[in-house]
Amino acid sequence: MTPSATTELLTLAQETAMVAGELARRRRAEGVQIAASKSSPEDVVTLADRETEALIRGLLADARPDDGFYGEESTATAGTSGLTWIVDPIDGTVNYLYGIPCYAVSIAVVEGDADPTSWSALAGAVRNPAIDELFSARSGGGAHLNGRALQVTSGVPLSLALFGTGFSYDSVRRTRQAKVLHGLISRVRDVRRMGAASLDLCSVAAGRLDLYYERGLHPWDHAAGALVAREAGARVGAFGADREGLSLLIAAAPDLYATAEPLLANLFEQFMADDDI
């Protein structure tokens, strides 16, 4: 796809994320209403999640009716153009519920199906309306925060690296993930758990985190953020030559990735080998 074509897709992603982010921010100010639980009672969906996704879906369908759509809160639809929009209307819903200003609208467009092992990400936008930040990237065009170019931090030794991670809503898996963290935390500067994968990935791009890893992420959690991180110079993947996906995502500058990967692989072998995902 030509640079001009991906630029048009990026503009649509940015504009849609801005409009949707304003709706999410306004609904948060009015008061959050829980609509349902998902995987567990702790894993909630709000009415604002559903309303925001419906808005995004409608805007994208109006602009590009032949594209596919894959969102967290509604039924996926196939398109005929070969492009699919991957959407998380409010990433970090629990933060949103509690009024923690770390949530985002995440919108990406990929070539292919909604499968991170095979798609080619073309453009993406991650909007945190609570603090007026818009991260964006297009394939081959670099990554930006509110128009400022981003570059991942390199040359950070493992012992001085600030890691980010997340945890499952499933209590058994969360306990296993905590054991991995216990084996890791004495080897690094510190660890942050911020609760929104899209923003964690953008934080790697912006140098706010040195490395981010998590197990159990769905396509909508990382499609846009992973592109932002990659375009800022990060390596994004899993163990070995595996692509990022449900079983694992790692994002860091290539040198830190190479150092941390064997440590994480050893800890996962010890504590996550029996995890059924």
Side-chain angles (χ1 to χ4, degrees), residues 102-121:
C102 185
Y103 65 89
V105 175
S106 176
I107 301 174
V109 57
V110 304
E111 192 167 25
D113 296 325
D115 180 357
T117 65
S118 62
W119 75 36
S120 177

mmCIF file with all atom_site columns, all heavy atoms in Angstrom, residues 102-121:
data_model
loop_
_atom_site.group_PDB
_atom_site.id
_atom_site.type_symbol
_atom_site.label_atom_id
_atom_site.label_alt_id
_atom_site.label_comp_id
_atom_site.label_asym_id
_atom_site.label_entity_id
_atom_site.label_seq_id
_atom_site.pdbx_PDB_ins_code
_atom_site.Cartn_x
_atom_site.Cartn_y
_atom_site.Cartn_z
_atom_site.occupancy
_atom_site.B_iso_or_equiv
_atom_site.pdbx_formal_charge
_atom_site.auth_seq_id
_atom_site.auth_comp_id
_atom_site.auth_asym_id
_atom_site.auth_atom_id
_atom_site.pdbx_PDB_model_num
ATOM 1   N N   . CYS A 1 102 ? -5.988  6.595   33.142 1.00 0.00 ? 102 CYS A N   1
ATOM 2   C CA  . CYS A 1 102 ? -5.135  5.735   32.315 1.00 0.00 ? 102 CYS A CA  1
ATOM 3   C C   . CYS A 1 102 ? -6.045  4.775   31.560 1.00 0.00 ? 102 CYS A C   1
ATOM 4   O O   . CYS A 1 102 ? -6.175  3.598   31.905 1.00 0.00 ? 102 CYS A O   1
ATOM 5   C CB  . CYS A 1 102 ? -4.124  4.986   33.187 1.00 0.00 ? 102 CYS A CB  1
ATOM 6   S SG  . CYS A 1 102 ? -2.918  3.998   32.258 1.00 0.00 ? 102 CYS A SG  1
ATOM 7   N N   . TYR A 1 103 ? -6.717  5.289   30.549 1.00 0.00 ? 103 TYR A N   1
ATOM 8   C CA  . TYR A 1 103 ? -7.574  4.493   29.678 1.00 0.00 ? 103 TYR A CA  1
ATOM 9   C C   . TYR A 1 103 ? -7.479  5.097   28.288 1.00 0.00 ? 103 TYR A C   1
ATOM 10  O O   . TYR A 1 103 ? -7.044  6.237   28.127 1.00 0.00 ? 103 TYR A O   1
ATOM 11  C CB  . TYR A 1 103 ? -9.023  4.457   30.182 1.00 0.00 ? 103 TYR A CB  1
ATOM 12  C CG  . TYR A 1 103 ? -9.728  5.790   30.157 1.00 0.00 ? 103 TYR A CG  1
ATOM 13  C CD1 . TYR A 1 103 ? -10.420 6.216   29.025 1.00 0.00 ? 103 TYR A CD1 1
ATOM 14  C CD2 . TYR A 1 103 ? -9.715  6.634   31.269 1.00 0.00 ? 103 TYR A CD2 1
ATOM 15  C CE1 . TYR A 1 103 ? -11.070 7.440   28.998 1.00 0.00 ? 103 TYR A CE1 1
ATOM 16  C CE2 . TYR A 1 103 ? -10.360 7.859   31.249 1.00 0.00 ? 103 TYR A CE2 1
ATOM 17  C CZ  . TYR A 1 103 ? -11.032 8.256   30.116 1.00 0.00 ? 103 TYR A CZ  1
ATOM 18  O OH  . TYR A 1 103 ? -11.678 9.468   30.087 1.00 0.00 ? 103 TYR A OH  1
ATOM 19  N N   . ALA A 1 104 ? -7.868  4.326   27.284 1.00 0.00 ? 104 ALA A N   1
ATOM 20  C CA  . ALA A 1 104 ? -7.647  4.807   25.916 1.00 0.00 ? 104 ALA A CA  1
ATOM 21  C C   . ALA A 1 104 ? -8.631  4.194   24.942 1.00 0.00 ? 104 ALA A C   1
ATOM 22  O O   . ALA A 1 104 ? -9.120  3.073   25.135 1.00 0.00 ? 104 ALA A O   1
ATOM 23  C CB  . ALA A 1 104 ? -6.222  4.480   25.462 1.00 0.00 ? 104 ALA A CB  1
ATOM 24  N N   . VAL A 1 105 ? -8.883  4.942   23.884 1.00 0.00 ? 105 VAL A N   1
ATOM 25  C CA  . VAL A 1 105 ? -9.531  4.421   22.682 1.00 0.00 ? 105 VAL A CA  1
ATOM 26  C C   . VAL A 1 105 ? -8.416  3.952   21.753 1.00 0.00 ? 105 VAL A C   1
ATOM 27  O O   . VAL A 1 105 ? -7.491  4.711   21.456 1.00 0.00 ? 105 VAL A O   1
ATOM 28  C CB  . VAL A 1 105 ? -10.367 5.508   21.991 1.00 0.00 ? 105 VAL A CB  1
ATOM 29  C CG1 . VAL A 1 105 ? -10.936 4.994   20.674 1.00 0.00 ? 105 VAL A CG1 1
ATOM 30  C CG2 . VAL A 1 105 ? -11.477 5.998   22.905 1.00 0.00 ? 105 VAL A CG2 1
ATOM 31  N N   . SER A 1 106 ? -8.487  2.700   21.320 1.00 0.00 ? 106 SER A N   1
ATOM 32  C CA  . SER A 1 106 ? -7.443  2.116   20.475 1.00 0.00 ? 106 SER A CA  1
ATOM 33  C C   . SER A 1 106 ? -8.045  1.674   19.149 1.00 0.00 ? 106 SER A C   1
ATOM 34  O O   . SER A 1 106 ? -8.972  0.855   19.124 1.00 0.00 ? 106 SER A O   1
ATOM 35  C CB  . SER A 1 106 ? -6.801  0.917   21.182 1.00 0.00 ? 106 SER A CB  1
ATOM 36  O OG  . SER A 1 106 ? -5.854  0.285   20.349 1.00 0.00 ? 106 SER A OG  1
ATOM 37  N N   . ILE A 1 107 ? -7.522  2.218   18.053 1.00 0.00 ? 107 ILE A N   1
ATOM 38  C CA  . ILE A 1 107 ? -8.047  1.927   16.711 1.00 0.00 ? 107 ILE A CA  1
ATOM 39  C C   . ILE A 1 107 ? -6.879  1.630   15.782 1.00 0.00 ? 107 ILE A C   1
ATOM 40  O O   . ILE A 1 107 ? -5.960  2.448   15.648 1.00 0.00 ? 107 ILE A O   1
ATOM 41  C CB  . ILE A 1 107 ? -8.854  3.115   16.157 1.00 0.00 ? 107 ILE A CB  1
ATOM 42  C CG1 . ILE A 1 107 ? -10.030 3.458   17.078 1.00 0.00 ? 107 ILE A CG1 1
ATOM 43  C CG2 . ILE A 1 107 ? -9.352  2.813   14.744 1.00 0.00 ? 107 ILE A CG2 1
ATOM 44  C CD1 . ILE A 1 107 ? -10.785 4.709   16.664 1.00 0.00 ? 107 ILE A CD1 1
ATOM 45  N N   . ALA A 1 108 ? -6.906  0.471   15.142 1.00 0.00 ? 108 ALA A N   1
ATOM 46  C CA  . ALA A 1 108 ? -5.882  0.112   14.163 1.00 0.00 ? 108 ALA A CA  1
ATOM 47  C C   . ALA A 1 108 ? -6.559  -0.443  12.922 1.00 0.00 ? 108 ALA A C   1
ATOM 48  O O   . ALA A 1 108 ? -7.672  -0.981  12.986 1.00 0.00 ? 108 ALA A O   1
ATOM 49  C CB  . ALA A 1 108 ? -4.917  -0.923  14.734 1.00 0.00 ? 108 ALA A CB  1
ATOM 50  N N   . VAL A 1 109 ? -5.881  -0.318  11.796 1.00 0.00 ? 109 VAL A N   1
ATOM 51  C CA  . VAL A 1 109 ? -6.345  -0.956  10.570 1.00 0.00 ? 109 VAL A CA  1
ATOM 52  C C   . VAL A 1 109 ? -5.217  -1.841  10.065 1.00 0.00 ? 109 VAL A C   1
ATOM 53  O O   . VAL A 1 109 ? -4.059  -1.436  10.033 1.00 0.00 ? 109 VAL A O   1
ATOM 54  C CB  . VAL A 1 109 ? -6.787  0.089   9.518  1.00 0.00 ? 109 VAL A CB  1
ATOM 55  C CG1 . VAL A 1 109 ? -5.673  1.065   9.178  1.00 0.00 ? 109 VAL A CG1 1
ATOM 56  C CG2 . VAL A 1 109 ? -7.324  -0.597  8.278  1.00 0.00 ? 109 VAL A CG2 1
ATOM 57  N N   . VAL A 1 110 ? -5.579  -3.074  9.721  1.00 0.00 ? 110 VAL A N   1
ATOM 58  C CA  . VAL A 1 110 ? -4.587  -4.057  9.298  1.00 0.00 ? 110 VAL A CA  1
ATOM 59  C C   . VAL A 1 110 ? -4.978  -4.627  7.950  1.00 0.00 ? 110 VAL A C   1
ATOM 60  O O   . VAL A 1 110 ? -6.159  -4.637  7.573  1.00 0.00 ? 110 VAL A O   1
ATOM 61  C CB  . VAL A 1 110 ? -4.449  -5.198  10.331 1.00 0.00 ? 110 VAL A CB  1
ATOM 62  C CG1 . VAL A 1 110 ? -4.112  -4.642  11.714 1.00 0.00 ? 110 VAL A CG1 1
ATOM 63  C CG2 . VAL A 1 110 ? -5.701  -6.065  10.387 1.00 0.00 ? 110 VAL A CG2 1
ATOM 64  N N   . GLU A 1 111 ? -3.977  -5.102  7.243  1.00 0.00 ? 111 GLU A N   1
ATOM 65  C CA  . GLU A 1 111 ? -4.220  -5.818  6.000  1.00 0.00 ? 111 GLU A CA  1
ATOM 66  C C   . GLU A 1 111 ? -4.300  -7.293  6.337  1.00 0.00 ? 111 GLU A C   1
ATOM 67  O O   . GLU A 1 111 ? -3.362  -7.861  6.890  1.00 0.00 ? 111 GLU A O   1
ATOM 68  C CB  . GLU A 1 111 ? -3.085  -5.548  5.014  1.00 0.00 ? 111 GLU A CB  1
ATOM 69  C CG  . GLU A 1 111 ? -3.384  -6.019  3.600  1.00 0.00 ? 111 GLU A CG  1
ATOM 70  C CD  . GLU A 1 111 ? -2.385  -5.463  2.594  1.00 0.00 ? 111 GLU A CD  1
ATOM 71  O OE1 . GLU A 1 111 ? -1.259  -5.132  2.992  1.00 0.00 ? 111 GLU A OE1 1
ATOM 72  O OE2 . GLU A 1 111 ? -2.755  -5.360  1.410  1.00 0.00 ? 111 GLU A OE2 1
ATOM 73  N N   . GLY A 1 112 ? -5.437  -7.895  6.058  1.00 0.00 ? 112 GLY A N   1
ATOM 74  C CA  . GLY A 1 112 ? -5.649  -9.287  6.400  1.00 0.00 ? 112 GLY A CA  1
ATOM 75  C C   . GLY A 1 112 ? -6.723  -9.436  7.457  1.00 0.00 ? 112 GLY A C   1
ATOM 76  O O   . GLY A 1 112 ? -7.458  -8.501  7.780  1.00 0.00 ? 112 GLY A O   1
ATOM 77  N N   . ASP A 1 113 ? -6.810  -10.629 8.010  1.00 0.00 ? 113 ASP A N   1
ATOM 78  C CA  . ASP A 1 113 ? -7.802  -10.928 9.036  1.00 0.00 ? 113 ASP A CA  1
ATOM 79  C C   . ASP A 1 113 ? -7.332  -10.443 10.402 1.00 0.00 ? 113 ASP A C   1
ATOM 80  O O   . ASP A 1 113 ? -6.192  -10.010 10.569 1.00 0.00 ? 113 ASP A O   1
ATOM 81  C CB  . ASP A 1 113 ? -8.068  -12.432 9.074  1.00 0.00 ? 113 ASP A CB  1
ATOM 82  C CG  . ASP A 1 113 ? -8.684  -12.943 7.779  1.00 0.00 ? 113 ASP A CG  1
ATOM 83  O OD1 . ASP A 1 113 ? -9.477  -12.193 7.176  1.00 0.00 ? 113 ASP A OD1 1
ATOM 84  O OD2 . ASP A 1 113 ? -8.352  -14.073 7.371  1.00 0.00 ? 113 ASP A OD2 1
ATOM 85  N N   . ALA A 1 114 ? -8.214  -10.573 11.385 1.00 0.00 ? 114 ALA A N   1
ATOM 86  C CA  . ALA A 1 114 ? -7.905  -10.117 12.740 1.00 0.00 ? 114 ALA A CA  1
ATOM 87  C C   . ALA A 1 114 ? -7.049  -11.137 13.477 1.00 0.00 ? 114 ALA A C   1
ATOM 88  O O   . ALA A 1 114 ? -7.420  -11.643 14.544 1.00 0.00 ? 114 ALA A O   1
ATOM 89  C CB  . ALA A 1 114 ? -9.206  -9.849  13.486 1.00 0.00 ? 114 ALA A CB  1
ATOM 90  N N   . ASP A 1 115 ? -5.903  -11.442 12.924 1.00 0.00 ? 115 ASP A N   1
ATOM 91  C CA  . ASP A 1 115 ? -4.992  -12.435 13.478 1.00 0.00 ? 115 ASP A CA  1
ATOM 92  C C   . ASP A 1 115 ? -3.591  -11.841 13.508 1.00 0.00 ? 115 ASP A C   1
ATOM 93  O O   . ASP A 1 115 ? -2.975  -11.644 12.459 1.00 0.00 ? 115 ASP A O   1
ATOM 94  C CB  . ASP A 1 115 ? -5.012  -13.705 12.627 1.00 0.00 ? 115 ASP A CB  1
ATOM 95  C CG  . ASP A 1 115 ? -4.078  -14.784 13.154 1.00 0.00 ? 115 ASP A CG  1
ATOM 96  O OD1 . ASP A 1 115 ? -3.374  -14.529 14.152 1.00 0.00 ? 115 ASP A OD1 1
ATOM 97  O OD2 . ASP A 1 115 ? -4.049  -15.873 12.554 1.00 0.00 ? 115 ASP A OD2 1
ATOM 98  N N   . PRO A 1 116 ? -3.063  -11.525 14.704 1.00 0.00 ? 116 PRO A N   1
ATOM 99  C CA  . PRO A 1 116 ? -1.755  -10.864 14.771 1.00 0.00 ? 116 PRO A CA  1
ATOM 100 C C   . PRO A 1 116 ? -0.599  -11.704 14.253 1.00 0.00 ? 116 PRO A C   1
ATOM 101 O O   . PRO A 1 116 ? 0.470   -11.156 13.970 1.00 0.00 ? 116 PRO A O   1
ATOM 102 C CB  . PRO A 1 116 ? -1.592  -10.563 16.265 1.00 0.00 ? 116 PRO A CB  1
ATOM 103 C CG  . PRO A 1 116 ? -2.534  -11.483 16.960 1.00 0.00 ? 116 PRO A CG  1
ATOM 104 C CD  . PRO A 1 116 ? -3.678  -11.692 16.023 1.00 0.00 ? 116 PRO A CD  1
ATOM 105 N N   . THR A 1 117 ? -0.793  -13.008 14.103 1.00 0.00 ? 117 THR A N   1
ATOM 106 C CA  . THR A 1 117 ? 0.291   -13.831 13.562 1.00 0.00 ? 117 THR A CA  1
ATOM 107 C C   . THR A 1 117 ? 0.416   -13.695 12.050 1.00 0.00 ? 117 THR A C   1
ATOM 108 O O   . THR A 1 117 ? 1.431   -14.100 11.478 1.00 0.00 ? 117 THR A O   1
ATOM 109 C CB  . THR A 1 117 ? 0.078   -15.319 13.908 1.00 0.00 ? 117 THR A CB  1
ATOM 110 O OG1 . THR A 1 117 ? -1.106  -15.802 13.257 1.00 0.00 ? 117 THR A OG1 1
ATOM 111 C CG2 . THR A 1 117 ? -0.054  -15.516 15.407 1.00 0.00 ? 117 THR A CG2 1
ATOM 112 N N   . SER A 1 118 ? -0.589  -13.106 11.399 1.00 0.00 ? 118 SER A N   1
ATOM 113 C CA  . SER A 1 118 ? -0.549  -13.022 9.940  1.00 0.00 ? 118 SER A CA  1
ATOM 114 C C   . SER A 1 118 ? -0.857  -11.641 9.380  1.00 0.00 ? 118 SER A C   1
ATOM 115 O O   . SER A 1 118 ? -0.553  -11.367 8.220  1.00 0.00 ? 118 SER A O   1
ATOM 116 C CB  . SER A 1 118 ? -1.529  -14.031 9.328  1.00 0.00 ? 118 SER A CB  1
ATOM 117 O OG  . SER A 1 118 ? -2.863  -13.745 9.730  1.00 0.00 ? 118 SER A OG  1
ATOM 118 N N   . TRP A 1 119 ? -1.453  -10.752 10.175 1.00 0.00 ? 119 TRP A N   1
ATOM 119 C CA  . TRP A 1 119 ? -1.822  -9.456  9.618  1.00 0.00 ? 119 TRP A CA  1
ATOM 120 C C   . TRP A 1 119 ? -0.608  -8.568  9.400  1.00 0.00 ? 119 TRP A C   1
ATOM 121 O O   . TRP A 1 119 ? 0.467   -8.791  9.955  1.00 0.00 ? 119 TRP A O   1
ATOM 122 C CB  . TRP A 1 119 ? -2.869  -8.764  10.478 1.00 0.00 ? 119 TRP A CB  1
ATOM 123 C CG  . TRP A 1 119 ? -2.413  -8.156  11.789 1.00 0.00 ? 119 TRP A CG  1
ATOM 124 C CD1 . TRP A 1 119 ? -1.226  -7.543  12.068 1.00 0.00 ? 119 TRP A CD1 1
ATOM 125 C CD2 . TRP A 1 119 ? -3.170  -8.077  13.000 1.00 0.00 ? 119 TRP A CD2 1
ATOM 126 N NE1 . TRP A 1 119 ? -1.190  -7.079  13.358 1.00 0.00 ? 119 TRP A NE1 1
ATOM 127 C CE2 . TRP A 1 119 ? -2.382  -7.396  13.957 1.00 0.00 ? 119 TRP A CE2 1
ATOM 128 C CE3 . TRP A 1 119 ? -4.447  -8.495  13.367 1.00 0.00 ? 119 TRP A CE3 1
ATOM 129 C CZ2 . TRP A 1 119 ? -2.812  -7.134  15.260 1.00 0.00 ? 119 TRP A CZ2 1
ATOM 130 C CZ3 . TRP A 1 119 ? -4.877  -8.235  14.661 1.00 0.00 ? 119 TRP A CZ3 1
ATOM 131 C CH2 . TRP A 1 119 ? -4.067  -7.575  15.588 1.00 0.00 ? 119 TRP A CH2 1
ATOM 132 N N   . SER A 1 120 ? -0.807  -7.520  8.599  1.00 0.00 ? 120 SER A N   1
ATOM 133 C CA  . SER A 1 120 ? 0.171   -6.466  8.420  1.00 0.00 ? 120 SER A CA  1
ATOM 134 C C   . SER A 1 120 ? -0.487  -5.167  8.855  1.00 0.00 ? 120 SER A C   1
ATOM 135 O O   . SER A 1 120 ? -1.419  -4.693  8.211  1.00 0.00 ? 120 SER A O   1
ATOM 136 C CB  . SER A 1 120 ? 0.600   -6.386  6.951  1.00 0.00 ? 120 SER A CB  1
ATOM 137 O OG  . SER A 1 120 ? 1.505   -5.323  6.750  1.00 0.00 ? 120 SER A OG  1
ATOM 138 N N   . ALA A 1 121 ? -0.027  -4.607  9.974  1.00 0.00 ? 121 ALA A N   1
ATOM 139 C CA  . ALA A 1 121 ? -0.633  -3.389  10.510 1.00 0.00 ? 121 ALA A CA  1
ATOM 140 C C   . ALA A 1 121 ? -0.243  -2.198  9.649  1.00 0.00 ? 121 ALA A C   1
ATOM 141 O O   . ALA A 1 121 ? 0.932   -2.001  9.317  1.00 0.00 ? 121 ALA A O   1
ATOM 142 C CB  . ALA A 1 121 ? -0.201  -3.181  11.952 1.00 0.00 ? 121 ALA A CB  1
#
